[in-house]
Each structure stands twice: as structure tokens, then as C-alpha cells.
Amino acid sequence: MAELGFGTRLQRAIADTSPLCVGLDPSAALLEQWGLPDTPGSLVIMGESVIEAALGQVAAIKPQVAYFERHGSQGLAALEHVLARCREAGLLSIADAKRGDIDATMTAYGQAWVGQGSALRADAVTVVPYLGLGAMESLFIRAEEQGAGIFCVVASSNVEGRAIQTAMTGNGSVEATLLADLGARNQRYVERSGESLGPYGAVIGATREAGTLALSTFGGCFLVPGFGAQGASASDVGSLFAGTATGSVLVNSARQILNRGPAVAELAAEIFRQAQVLRDALN
Amino acid sequence: MAELGFGTRLQRAIADTSPLCVGLDPSAALLEQWGLPDTPGSLVIMGESVIEAALGQVAAIKPQVAYFERHGSQGLAALEHVLARCREAGLLSIADAKRGDIDATMTAYGQAWVGQGSALRADAVTVVPYLGLGAMESLFIRAEEQGAGIFCVVASSNVEGRAIQTAMTGNGSVEATLLADLGARNQRYVERSGESLGPYGAVIGATREAGTLALSTFGGCFLVPGFGAQGASASDVGSLFAGTATGSVLVNSARQILNRGPAVAELAAEIFRQAQVLRDALN
């Protein structure tokens, strides 16, 4: 068992820095805007600039795996480099992979992304639950053992998934049952470990309304897309997560930061500005 | 626009060979059973043996991406090699990636897996719909343009996902609405192209019951896990897909074939046996 779980580590990072997470989304369009060719080497350059600008100002960095994967094995080599640099720098990393499969396949994804010996080791990885949380046990066990975190997409920031996420099971809406399942896992972890937050996080779009979602008793961290470019303000985020545990809300921002590159000073200034806005809104 | 879409190409491959798809699942346990070290090079060896054994006997091969991804960039390099070998050999490949995200991120996944210039080019890729089919348009457009296919997980073979998949939206169950949406996309494709099947496939576990799912009017192909090791028989598959279009059902089998390795002759013999059983059950 690692000394501290991911929930606690993220909570401390948020307290030490800010509730901001920088999304690392090196799309072809953004690389062009930075004056970089669309190559694996440019993925590394953008990653290193973002890490340099973000260090000490944000709680975590979230590379979107798809933008690396589009360069195949060489893109993943760039991602390995970026993730290793985060680790060296002491900056938490969240691999936004949205993996979701069953049983032995999830064991393999755990080997890919979670813990010691993983080629693509990140502090946390995102998952999608369409095949059921219960089918991901092997990944969850590995994450707990290794002090890593899981962020499960529960309520996405885009509208197209809402019909599925709000569909009704025999025990409430899909999103409510997922939140309850993850929350129960956090509760069991907290009871065993004596920590105050568990490693099971939920992705909740900033564009959502709390509605029937029991956010305040969740016992884990929230990863919040949809801030800034996607339309939600810091005060929207503050309202949505009112009453949740201190330091449990991590707000992702990508485009409105990355658009300011390639100069590290410009990136850092925008990160500083957004971090301050979020600190004010969430405290 | 490619000359023929994926649905038609798969239907022809099934007619020319069999409804069998060999799942390429190079887990650590299976590599050990084959007497191979758990290295990227062994992923290539297993892949080449399976391709050699399967060629001319099966309609497609389905590498499970997770087993390659656990070796990081080197694992994906092995997968690039295996996918290229399939293409050279004229064997259709389905990358079982179960990717699922939104908008520009799906564009990036398309760049990774679909069409000319993709590092990890496969003939089709699997997706999970938790964030909504409508959020994947950019991938779908690219797939149609490039003659590639999409297999969306609709009703999985495992039990843990059933609560979500059978939850009720305002328009019926989640799985029924997904099938209807994919079917409508196939219908539009068929009307435009004059082909008889569209490129939008559905993953339907062999362990399911047809129930309210409108399989016979779907207009695309089905990818069917759960056969063999996971418990469903060929006659279960035959019953489930009775009335669907000829050559639209592709049944995956992995463990019961790969367990027979590493000898190519043994793999080929088991593939021959299963292909015959499925031909009989589905004709």
C-alpha cells in the first residue's frame, strides 16, 4: 500500500497551489498556432512548456491521450516523456484516456497507466463506465495498491451524452447510481485508511446542475471540465460544488490557457489569472 | 470516398471465409503459456502466428489494444506492425480500443486509428457511447470517407454493464436508442451509397437475449463477443441473430483459440473447427 492515497495527495496539492488543472491538448490546430510542426517532438515541446508554466501554480496537469495517440507509438513515447517529467517535477498527472472495458482487459489498462513499472505511469487515469464499474475491479485494486486515482466520467460537460447519463435504472438515474457506487468505494477506503478522501473521483461537467446528485457526501475528488471555453464560469463551478469537501474540486482548463502559448511567460500569466479566479470561487 | 464501405467489405469477407473473428489478446498469462517473455517483441510474434493461422479462414482479426498499450509506446509499435501485416495480407482488422470522448478529441482518435496516414490504421475501431454518439461525429465522418467501420458497444457480454445499458431514456432503453441511432446512420449511408450494409456496427454480447432489440432491421454488422470461453454456444448466436442480414454477424473468439498456441498448425486447426461450427449455426 502506498503511504497516501490519490485523493489525499490531490487535496494537498490543491491546498498548496490552486484548484486548477491544466489540460494538455496538443491538437494539430494548436501546434500550428504555436508555430510547431505536427510531430511527436512538438508534443514534447508543448508538454514541457506547459509543465514549466504550471509548476507550483496548479494541482495537476491532464494530458488528453488522444492527441498523443494520433501519432501512434511515437506519440505515446512523447506522452511517456511528458508523464515522466511531471513525476520528476512533483506535479500530479491525470491521463485523460477514458478507458473502459472488462476484467483482464482492465488489468492490462492498469498495467499501462497505473503504478510502478507502468510505461505510461500517471497519478490518475480517467475511465468511462458503459460496461459497468464492477467490470473494472482489477484496475481499481491496482490503483488503491499503488496510491493512484481513478476519475470516472459520471456527468459529462457536453449535451450529447445526457440522455444516457440521466436514463433511469431501478435505483435512480445512471449518473446517480454511478456516483453512489464510487462514493461507497471511497467510504470503504476512508474507513480502512483513516484518510479523509478516497481515490475514486468523478468527472462532473461544470455545465451541469447539481439536481439529484449527492455531491457533498461523495468522499472523493471531482474533475470538472467545461470551465472557460466550454461556457461555465468560476461562480457556476462554485455553486455546483457548494458544500463539498475542501480541496476536492479540480477544475480543468485547456484552450484558454494553451491559446496563450508558445511563450512560457504568457502561459504562466494566464494560469496565474485562472488559478486566482478559481481559488476565490471555491473558497 | 473509398470504393466500398466497411459493412460491404466485411460482409464479403464473411462470405469468402467464415463469420469468425479471431481476438488477439496477448495477455501476460497467455504469453507465458506460449513460452514467450512478456515483451513487445513477443506481441509481434503472437500476432504474426495468429495472422498466419487465420488467413483465409476468418473474416477479421481483432487486436485488443489494452494488451499492447500495457507496454506503452513499444507496445503500440508492436500493434502498428501487426495492423500493417493484416493489411498486407488482406485480412480485415478491428482495433478493439473502445475509445469514447467528444468533438476534437474524437477527431484525434480518428487520426490515430482510421484511414490513410493513421499510424495505427485499422479497418474498424470499437467505441463506447457514454458521452453520446452525437459527440463522435468527426470520427464517423472520417470513417465514412475512408471506408472504415465503427463498432459501438451497445449490449455487452458481461453482466456489470447491464444496469446502464437497459436503463430507460424518454425513447426506450439506452441500448435500444443506441441501436436505433446507429441503424439510422446505416440507413442514410445505404441510401447514399447503394450498398446493402452501412459502416456502423454494434457490439452485442452473445450472452444477451434479443428482447426488444431490433436486430433484423439494423442495416449494419454485429460484432459478437461472449462466444466460447464466455459461455454462449454457436446455436445461441444463431438464435439471437435469426433474421439479420446474411453475412452481417461476426463472432469473436480469442481464448479458446489462443490457448492452442504457439504452434500455428494447432491454432489453424482450432480456427478451422470454430469457423465451421459458426458457418453451420449462422447459415
Short mmCIF file of all heavy atoms in Angstrom, two decimals, chain A residues 208-259:
data_model
loop_
_atom_site.label_atom_id
_atom_site.label_comp_id
_atom_site.label_asym_id
_atom_site.label_seq_id
_atom_site.Cartn_x
_atom_site.Cartn_y
_atom_site.Cartn_z
N ARG A 208 -23.20 21.32 -15.73
CA ARG A 208 -24.32 20.58 -15.13
C ARG A 208 -24.95 21.37 -13.99
O ARG A 208 -24.38 22.33 -13.47
CB ARG A 208 -23.84 19.23 -14.59
CG ARG A 208 -23.24 18.31 -15.64
CD ARG A 208 -24.30 17.52 -16.40
NE ARG A 208 -25.14 18.33 -17.27
CZ ARG A 208 -24.83 18.72 -18.51
NH1 ARG A 208 -23.69 18.41 -19.04
NH2 ARG A 208 -25.68 19.44 -19.22
N GLU A 209 -26.13 20.88 -13.57
CA GLU A 209 -26.73 21.36 -12.33
C GLU A 209 -26.71 20.22 -11.33
O GLU A 209 -26.82 19.06 -11.72
CB GLU A 209 -28.16 21.84 -12.58
CG GLU A 209 -28.19 23.12 -13.37
CD GLU A 209 -29.58 23.50 -13.82
OE1 GLU A 209 -30.55 23.03 -13.22
OE2 GLU A 209 -29.69 24.27 -14.80
N ALA A 210 -26.53 20.56 -10.06
CA ALA A 210 -26.38 19.51 -9.05
C ALA A 210 -27.60 18.59 -9.06
O ALA A 210 -27.47 17.38 -9.01
CB ALA A 210 -26.19 20.14 -7.68
N GLY A 211 -28.79 19.18 -9.16
CA GLY A 211 -30.00 18.37 -9.23
C GLY A 211 -30.01 17.31 -8.14
O GLY A 211 -29.84 17.63 -6.96
N THR A 212 -30.18 16.08 -8.54
CA THR A 212 -30.28 15.00 -7.56
C THR A 212 -28.93 14.39 -7.23
O THR A 212 -28.87 13.39 -6.52
CB THR A 212 -31.19 13.89 -8.11
OG1 THR A 212 -30.63 13.45 -9.36
CG2 THR A 212 -32.60 14.41 -8.34
N LEU A 213 -27.85 14.93 -7.75
CA LEU A 213 -26.54 14.33 -7.49
C LEU A 213 -26.05 14.68 -6.09
O LEU A 213 -25.97 15.86 -5.73
CB LEU A 213 -25.53 14.81 -8.54
CG LEU A 213 -25.77 14.32 -9.97
CD1 LEU A 213 -24.72 14.89 -10.91
CD2 LEU A 213 -25.79 12.80 -10.04
N ALA A 214 -25.70 13.66 -5.33
CA ALA A 214 -25.28 13.85 -3.93
C ALA A 214 -23.78 14.15 -3.89
O ALA A 214 -22.97 13.34 -3.49
CB ALA A 214 -25.61 12.60 -3.13
N LEU A 215 -23.44 15.38 -4.31
CA LEU A 215 -22.02 15.73 -4.42
C LEU A 215 -21.37 15.92 -3.05
O LEU A 215 -20.20 15.58 -2.87
CB LEU A 215 -21.87 17.00 -5.27
CG LEU A 215 -22.42 16.93 -6.70
CD1 LEU A 215 -22.23 18.28 -7.40
CD2 LEU A 215 -21.72 15.83 -7.51
N SER A 216 -22.11 16.44 -2.10
CA SER A 216 -21.47 16.84 -0.84
C SER A 216 -21.03 15.66 0.02
O SER A 216 -20.17 15.80 0.88
CB SER A 216 -22.41 17.75 -0.04
OG SER A 216 -23.58 17.05 0.31
N THR A 217 -21.60 14.49 -0.22
CA THR A 217 -21.24 13.31 0.58
C THR A 217 -20.39 12.32 -0.21
O THR A 217 -20.25 11.16 0.18
CB THR A 217 -22.51 12.59 1.06
OG1 THR A 217 -23.31 12.26 -0.10
CG2 THR A 217 -23.31 13.46 2.00
N PHE A 218 -19.79 12.77 -1.28
CA PHE A 218 -19.15 11.84 -2.21
C PHE A 218 -17.88 11.19 -1.63
O PHE A 218 -17.58 10.03 -1.88
CB PHE A 218 -18.83 12.58 -3.51
CG PHE A 218 -18.15 11.74 -4.55
CD1 PHE A 218 -18.75 10.57 -5.01
CD2 PHE A 218 -16.92 12.11 -5.07
CE1 PHE A 218 -18.13 9.79 -5.98
CE2 PHE A 218 -16.29 11.34 -6.04
CZ PHE A 218 -16.90 10.18 -6.49
N GLY A 219 -17.09 11.96 -0.92
CA GLY A 219 -15.91 11.37 -0.29
C GLY A 219 -14.72 11.18 -1.20
O GLY A 219 -13.75 10.51 -0.83
N GLY A 220 -14.77 11.76 -2.39
CA GLY A 220 -13.63 11.71 -3.31
C GLY A 220 -13.52 13.04 -4.02
O GLY A 220 -14.24 14.00 -3.70
N CYS A 221 -12.64 13.10 -5.00
CA CYS A 221 -12.43 14.35 -5.72
C CYS A 221 -13.27 14.43 -6.98
O CYS A 221 -13.69 13.43 -7.54
CB CYS A 221 -10.94 14.51 -6.08
SG CYS A 221 -9.89 14.76 -4.63
N PHE A 222 -13.49 15.66 -7.42
CA PHE A 222 -14.21 15.91 -8.67
C PHE A 222 -13.27 16.51 -9.70
O PHE A 222 -12.50 17.43 -9.37
CB PHE A 222 -15.37 16.89 -8.43
CG PHE A 222 -16.36 16.39 -7.43
CD1 PHE A 222 -16.31 16.82 -6.11
CD2 PHE A 222 -17.33 15.46 -7.79
CE1 PHE A 222 -17.21 16.34 -5.17
CE2 PHE A 222 -18.24 14.98 -6.85
CZ PHE A 222 -18.18 15.43 -5.53
N LEU A 223 -13.34 16.01 -10.90
CA LEU A 223 -12.61 16.60 -12.02
C LEU A 223 -13.67 17.28 -12.89
O LEU A 223 -14.62 16.62 -13.32
CB LEU A 223 -11.86 15.52 -12.79
CG LEU A 223 -11.17 15.96 -14.09
CD1 LEU A 223 -10.11 17.01 -13.83
CD2 LEU A 223 -10.55 14.74 -14.78
N VAL A 224 -13.47 18.56 -13.15
CA VAL A 224 -14.54 19.37 -13.71
C VAL A 224 -14.14 19.98 -15.05
O VAL A 224 -13.41 20.98 -15.10
CB VAL A 224 -14.94 20.50 -12.73
CG1 VAL A 224 -16.14 21.27 -13.24
CG2 VAL A 224 -15.20 19.93 -11.34
N PRO A 225 -14.60 19.38 -16.15
CA PRO A 225 -14.40 20.01 -17.46
C PRO A 225 -15.52 21.01 -17.73
O PRO A 225 -16.49 21.08 -16.98
CB PRO A 225 -14.50 18.82 -18.42
CG PRO A 225 -15.47 17.90 -17.75
CD PRO A 225 -15.29 18.09 -16.26
N GLY A 226 -15.35 21.78 -18.77
CA GLY A 226 -16.44 22.66 -19.18
C GLY A 226 -16.27 24.09 -18.71
O GLY A 226 -17.09 24.95 -19.02
N PHE A 227 -15.18 24.34 -17.97
CA PHE A 227 -14.91 25.70 -17.49
C PHE A 227 -14.27 26.51 -18.62
O PHE A 227 -13.48 25.99 -19.40
CB PHE A 227 -13.95 25.61 -16.30
CG PHE A 227 -13.41 26.93 -15.81
CD1 PHE A 227 -14.24 27.89 -15.24
CD2 PHE A 227 -12.05 27.21 -15.92
CE1 PHE A 227 -13.73 29.10 -14.77
CE2 PHE A 227 -11.53 28.42 -15.46
CZ PHE A 227 -12.38 29.37 -14.89
N GLY A 228 -14.62 27.79 -18.67
CA GLY A 228 -13.96 28.67 -19.63
C GLY A 228 -14.49 28.47 -21.04
O GLY A 228 -15.66 28.78 -21.31
N ALA A 229 -13.65 27.97 -21.92
CA ALA A 229 -14.01 27.87 -23.34
C ALA A 229 -15.33 27.15 -23.55
O ALA A 229 -16.06 27.44 -24.49
CB ALA A 229 -12.89 27.19 -24.12
N GLN A 230 -15.66 26.18 -22.68
CA GLN A 230 -16.89 25.42 -22.88
C GLN A 230 -18.10 26.08 -22.23
O GLN A 230 -19.20 25.52 -22.24
CB GLN A 230 -16.74 23.98 -22.38
CG GLN A 230 -15.87 23.13 -23.31
CD GLN A 230 -15.70 21.69 -22.80
OE1 GLN A 230 -16.66 20.95 -22.69
NE2 GLN A 230 -14.47 21.30 -22.50
N GLY A 231 -17.91 27.22 -21.58
CA GLY A 231 -19.09 28.00 -21.22
C GLY A 231 -19.40 28.25 -19.77
O GLY A 231 -20.19 29.14 -19.46
N ALA A 232 -18.83 27.46 -18.84
CA ALA A 232 -19.18 27.67 -17.43
C ALA A 232 -18.20 28.65 -16.78
O ALA A 232 -17.00 28.64 -17.08
CB ALA A 232 -19.18 26.35 -16.68
N SER A 233 -18.72 29.47 -15.88
CA SER A 233 -17.88 30.44 -15.17
C SER A 233 -17.41 29.86 -13.84
O SER A 233 -17.90 28.82 -13.39
CB SER A 233 -18.69 31.70 -14.90
OG SER A 233 -19.68 31.41 -13.92
N ALA A 234 -16.46 30.54 -13.22
CA ALA A 234 -15.97 30.10 -11.91
C ALA A 234 -17.11 30.10 -10.89
O ALA A 234 -17.18 29.22 -10.03
CB ALA A 234 -14.83 31.00 -11.45
N SER A 235 -18.02 31.06 -10.99
CA SER A 235 -19.09 31.08 -9.99
C SER A 235 -20.08 29.94 -10.24
O SER A 235 -20.66 29.40 -9.29
CB SER A 235 -19.78 32.44 -9.94
OG SER A 235 -20.66 32.60 -11.01
N ASP A 236 -20.25 29.55 -11.52
CA ASP A 236 -21.06 28.34 -11.78
C ASP A 236 -20.45 27.14 -11.06
O ASP A 236 -21.15 26.33 -10.45
CB ASP A 236 -21.07 28.01 -13.29
CG ASP A 236 -21.84 29.03 -14.11
OD1 ASP A 236 -22.69 29.73 -13.55
OD2 ASP A 236 -21.56 29.12 -15.33
N VAL A 237 -19.12 27.02 -11.15
CA VAL A 237 -18.43 25.90 -10.52
C VAL A 237 -18.60 25.98 -9.00
O VAL A 237 -18.89 24.98 -8.33
CB VAL A 237 -16.94 25.88 -10.90
CG1 VAL A 237 -16.20 24.77 -10.15
CG2 VAL A 237 -16.77 25.71 -12.41
N GLY A 238 -18.44 27.19 -8.46
CA GLY A 238 -18.60 27.37 -7.03
C GLY A 238 -19.98 26.97 -6.54
O GLY A 238 -20.13 26.30 -5.51
N SER A 239 -21.01 27.34 -7.30
CA SER A 239 -22.38 26.99 -6.91
C SER A 239 -22.60 25.48 -6.98
O SER A 239 -23.19 24.88 -6.08
CB SER A 239 -23.39 27.67 -7.83
OG SER A 239 -23.23 29.05 -7.82
N LEU A 240 -22.11 24.89 -8.08
CA LEU A 240 -22.35 23.45 -8.30
C LEU A 240 -21.75 22.62 -7.17
O LEU A 240 -22.35 21.65 -6.73
CB LEU A 240 -21.75 23.05 -9.65
CG LEU A 240 -21.84 21.59 -10.08
CD1 LEU A 240 -23.28 21.09 -10.06
CD2 LEU A 240 -21.25 21.43 -11.49
N PHE A 241 -20.56 23.02 -6.70
CA PHE A 241 -19.85 22.19 -5.72
C PHE A 241 -19.91 22.77 -4.30
O PHE A 241 -19.11 22.38 -3.45
CB PHE A 241 -18.42 21.97 -6.18
CG PHE A 241 -18.34 21.13 -7.42
CD1 PHE A 241 -18.18 21.71 -8.66
CD2 PHE A 241 -18.47 19.75 -7.33
CE1 PHE A 241 -18.14 20.93 -9.82
CE2 PHE A 241 -18.44 18.97 -8.47
CZ PHE A 241 -18.27 19.56 -9.73
N ALA A 242 -20.86 23.67 -4.07
CA ALA A 242 -21.02 24.21 -2.71
C ALA A 242 -21.27 23.06 -1.74
O ALA A 242 -22.07 22.16 -2.03
CB ALA A 242 -22.19 25.19 -2.69
N GLY A 243 -20.58 23.06 -0.62
CA GLY A 243 -20.82 22.01 0.38
C GLY A 243 -19.96 20.78 0.25
O GLY A 243 -20.02 19.88 1.09
N THR A 244 -19.18 20.69 -0.82
CA THR A 244 -18.29 19.53 -0.96
C THR A 244 -17.04 19.76 -0.11
O THR A 244 -16.76 20.86 0.35
CB THR A 244 -17.88 19.32 -2.44
OG1 THR A 244 -17.23 20.50 -2.91
CG2 THR A 244 -19.10 19.04 -3.30
N ALA A 245 -16.27 18.68 0.08
CA ALA A 245 -15.09 18.75 0.94
C ALA A 245 -14.09 19.78 0.41
O ALA A 245 -13.90 19.92 -0.80
CB ALA A 245 -14.42 17.38 1.01
N THR A 246 -13.45 20.49 1.32
CA THR A 246 -12.42 21.47 0.94
C THR A 246 -11.32 20.79 0.14
O THR A 246 -10.83 19.72 0.50
CB THR A 246 -11.79 22.07 2.21
OG1 THR A 246 -12.84 22.63 3.00
CG2 THR A 246 -10.78 23.16 1.84
N GLY A 247 -10.97 21.41 -0.98
CA GLY A 247 -9.87 20.87 -1.77
C GLY A 247 -10.21 19.60 -2.52
O GLY A 247 -9.33 18.82 -2.88
N SER A 248 -11.51 19.38 -2.77
CA SER A 248 -11.87 18.17 -3.51
C SER A 248 -12.27 18.45 -4.95
O SER A 248 -12.61 17.54 -5.70
CB SER A 248 -13.03 17.45 -2.80
OG SER A 248 -14.21 18.23 -2.83
N VAL A 249 -12.23 19.72 -5.35
CA VAL A 249 -12.70 20.09 -6.69
C VAL A 249 -11.52 20.56 -7.55
O VAL A 249 -10.83 21.52 -7.18
CB VAL A 249 -13.77 21.19 -6.62
CG1 VAL A 249 -14.21 21.61 -8.01
CG2 VAL A 249 -14.96 20.72 -5.79
N LEU A 250 -11.32 19.88 -8.65
CA LEU A 250 -10.23 20.19 -9.56
C LEU A 250 -10.83 20.60 -10.90
O LEU A 250 -11.53 19.81 -11.54
CB LEU A 250 -9.34 18.96 -9.73
CG LEU A 250 -8.12 19.11 -10.64
CD1 LEU A 250 -7.08 20.03 -9.98
CD2 LEU A 250 -7.51 17.75 -10.93
N VAL A 251 -10.56 21.82 -11.31
CA VAL A 251 -11.22 22.37 -12.50
C VAL A 251 -10.25 22.39 -13.67
O VAL A 251 -9.17 22.98 -13.58
CB VAL A 251 -11.74 23.80 -12.23
CG1 VAL A 251 -12.45 24.36 -13.45
CG2 VAL A 251 -12.67 23.80 -11.01
N ASN A 252 -10.65 21.75 -14.75
CA ASN A 252 -9.77 21.67 -15.91
C ASN A 252 -9.95 22.89 -16.81
O ASN A 252 -11.06 23.35 -17.05
CB ASN A 252 -10.07 20.41 -16.72
CG ASN A 252 -9.04 20.18 -17.81
OD1 ASN A 252 -7.88 19.93 -17.51
ND2 ASN A 252 -9.44 20.27 -19.07
N SER A 253 -8.83 23.37 -17.32
CA SER A 253 -8.87 24.44 -18.32
C SER A 253 -7.75 24.16 -19.32
O SER A 253 -6.61 23.90 -18.93
CB SER A 253 -8.68 25.80 -17.66
OG SER A 253 -8.67 26.83 -18.63
N ALA A 254 -8.07 24.19 -20.59
CA ALA A 254 -7.07 23.85 -21.60
C ALA A 254 -6.94 24.98 -22.62
O ALA A 254 -5.98 25.74 -22.61
CB ALA A 254 -7.43 22.53 -22.28
N ARG A 255 -7.95 25.11 -23.46
CA ARG A 255 -7.83 26.03 -24.61
C ARG A 255 -7.49 27.46 -24.22
O ARG A 255 -6.62 28.09 -24.82
CB ARG A 255 -9.13 26.02 -25.43
CG ARG A 255 -9.06 25.09 -26.63
CD ARG A 255 -10.39 25.06 -27.35
NE ARG A 255 -11.41 24.33 -26.59
CZ ARG A 255 -12.69 24.29 -26.93
NH1 ARG A 255 -13.13 24.94 -27.99
NH2 ARG A 255 -13.55 23.59 -26.21
N GLN A 256 -8.19 27.98 -23.20
CA GLN A 256 -7.97 29.39 -22.84
C GLN A 256 -6.59 29.63 -22.25
O GLN A 256 -6.15 30.77 -22.14
CB GLN A 256 -9.06 29.87 -21.87
CG GLN A 256 -10.39 30.05 -22.58
CD GLN A 256 -11.38 30.86 -21.74
OE1 GLN A 256 -11.16 31.09 -20.56
NE2 GLN A 256 -12.46 31.28 -22.38
N ILE A 257 -5.92 28.55 -21.85
CA ILE A 257 -4.53 28.68 -21.43
C ILE A 257 -3.60 28.45 -22.62
O ILE A 257 -2.73 29.28 -22.92
CB ILE A 257 -4.22 27.69 -20.28
CG1 ILE A 257 -5.01 28.09 -19.03
CG2 ILE A 257 -2.72 27.63 -20.01
CD1 ILE A 257 -5.00 27.05 -17.93
N LEU A 258 -3.80 27.34 -23.30
CA LEU A 258 -2.87 26.94 -24.37
C LEU A 258 -2.86 27.95 -25.52
O LEU A 258 -1.84 28.12 -26.20
CB LEU A 258 -3.22 25.54 -24.89
CG LEU A 258 -3.18 24.42 -23.83
CD1 LEU A 258 -3.65 23.10 -24.43
CD2 LEU A 258 -1.79 24.25 -23.24
N ASN A 259 -4.00 28.62 -25.72
CA ASN A 259 -4.08 29.65 -26.75
C ASN A 259 -3.07 30.78 -26.53
O ASN A 259 -2.77 31.52 -27.46
CB ASN A 259 -5.48 30.30 -26.74
CG ASN A 259 -6.48 29.50 -27.51
OD1 ASN A 259 -6.11 28.65 -28.33
ND2 ASN A 259 -7.76 29.74 -27.26
#
